[in-house]
Amino acid sequence: MIEPVWGPVHRDIVDLLADHPADVPAVVDHLTKLQDLLVRLPPLGASCPLADFNKLYLTITSSVLDGLYDDRFIDPAFLSRLDVEFAARYFDAMRLWTDSSPGTPKAWSCLFERMRGPDARPLPSAAAGVNAHINFDLPFALVTTFDHLESEPVDGSDQHHDYLEINNIFADKIPGLRRGYLERWQLLIDMLNGDIDDWYQGELVEYTRDVAWRNAQKIWRCRHDPDARECERTRLDDNAAALGRLLLSPLGAFLQ
């Protein structure tokens, strides 16, 4: 008998994924419940690579929600819709993996495959998830959001300002998140390095999200051309998958 994809928590995860969150509080609720399930997934338990990413994603999304409550953004309707569309692509990838679908994005498959071992260090696992979500999911989530709002991705717009404001949330949360993934000996090295690692990670996130915005603009221009859009999807998926495999490799773990 073939064991279900999600082991003993398979039914719970399937039931959770059957619901599609329609607003940011619902996304946070989904991510919270998912985290509780992922840390129970054998054989790795709490060190499940997907749980390492989901923990980071939950922290950032919770901060976005706080920003919406605090009127931090110029166009909250845009940020709210983007957050929902963004999360939907993550949950869709999990649904496809649950069904053993060949349509599962390769960018996500390289991380999903590690859930049964061999064990992967927490920081590379989280980085691989961020890579798949930003380099592959985010451009398409942006296009879907702008299409829904009957707007478009324009540099310097209110929407672009709010998009860049998320970089500040990352910059605020990265130091604590990153240190939470480190082992004792890594924390010692981190202390000796001072703020350089935090600065580097912040710059990397800012650069990666800027590339995602540029890719969204490119997809936007060809959104009515199915062949061109599929070409972009394949290109971004292949590139993100290659980077994800590197991040999860022994070399990637060593570099982090």
Side-chain angles (χ1 to χ4, degrees):
M1 182 177 179
I2 300 177
E3 185 177 4
V5 171
W6 304 106
V9 296
H10 185 86
R11 175 44 55 190
D12 291 328
I13 289 183
V14 168
D15 290 343
L16 181 65
L17 293 176
D19 189 20
H20 298 254
D23 55 30
V24 183
V27 170
V28 170
D29 182 65
H30 259 57
L31 292 172
T32 301
K33 292 176 179 176
L34 182 58
Q35 186 68 18
D36 292 339
L37 295 171
L38 290 174
V39 296
R40 292 159 48 196
L41 181 63
L44 302 178
S47 63
C48 168
L50 189 57
D52 293 326
F53 162 71
N54 196 82
K55 173 185 175 183
L56 181 152
Y57 188 25
L58 172 58
T59 299
I60 298 298
T61 307
S62 297
S63 296
V64 171
L65 180 59
D66 290 340
L68 289 168
Y69 287 147
D70 295 339
D71 296 323
R72 181 170 183 168
F73 306 109
I74 299 174
D75 189 344
F78 163 73
L79 242 298
S80 297
R81 186 70 192 191
L82 177 59
D83 196 280
V84 170
E85 296 291 348
F86 194 32
R89 298 190 67 84
Y90 171 47
F91 296 136
D92 284 345
M94 292 186 65
R95 290 186 195 97
L96 289 168
W97 183 257
T98 301
D99 295 335
S100 300
S101 170
T104 306
K106 289 182 284 186
W108 281 110
S109 293
C110 62
L111 181 59
F112 293 158
E113 289 167 355
R114 297 300 292 267
M115 291 187 297
R116 295 293 181 181
D119 199 2
R121 287 184 176 177
L123 184 55
S125 298
V130 170
N131 161 65
H133 210 26
I134 292 181
N135 286 323
F136 178 64
D137 290 341
L138 185 52
F140 294 98
L142 280 164
V143 169
T144 305
T145 297
F146 281 115
D147 190 50
H148 174 82
L149 297 176
E150 299 182 343
S151 183
E152 57 184 295
V154 177
D155 291 354
S157 62
D158 288 347
Q159 292 91 347
H160 190 213
H161 172 276
D162 286 346
Y163 179 81
L164 295 177
E165 182 63 23
I166 302 300
N167 294 342
N168 295 326
I169 291 178
F170 269 99
D172 179 56
K173 297 298 179 181
I174 278 176
L177 283 167
R178 190 175 59 78
R179 292 183 180 90
Y181 293 121
L182 300 181
E183 298 175 11
R184 188 182 299 273
W185 66 271
Q186 292 173 312
L187 285 170
L188 177 60
I189 295 175
D190 183 76
M191 181 180 66
L192 295 175
N193 286 340
D195 295 332
I196 188 169
D197 289 334
D198 295 332
W199 173 83
Y200 165 74
Q201 293 289 341
E203 290 294 305
L204 184 60
V205 167
E206 185 173 336
Y207 170 78
T208 303
R209 295 189 77 254
D210 183 63
V211 171
W213 178 267
R214 301 302 167 199
N215 281 324
Q217 290 177 319
K218 186 175 182 179
I219 297 167
W220 181 260
R221 290 191 292 269
C222 68
R223 66 190 184 282
H224 299 307
D225 183 339
D227 291 337
R229 184 184 174 103
E230 177 59 21
C231 183
E232 284 302 302
R233 190 204 68 79
T234 300
R235 178 181 70 86
L236 293 178
D237 194 15
D238 287 344
N239 290 345
L243 181 54
R245 286 191 290 269
L246 175 62
L247 290 167
L248 292 167
S249 70
L251 174 61
F254 173 76
L255 292 176
Q256 296 177 72

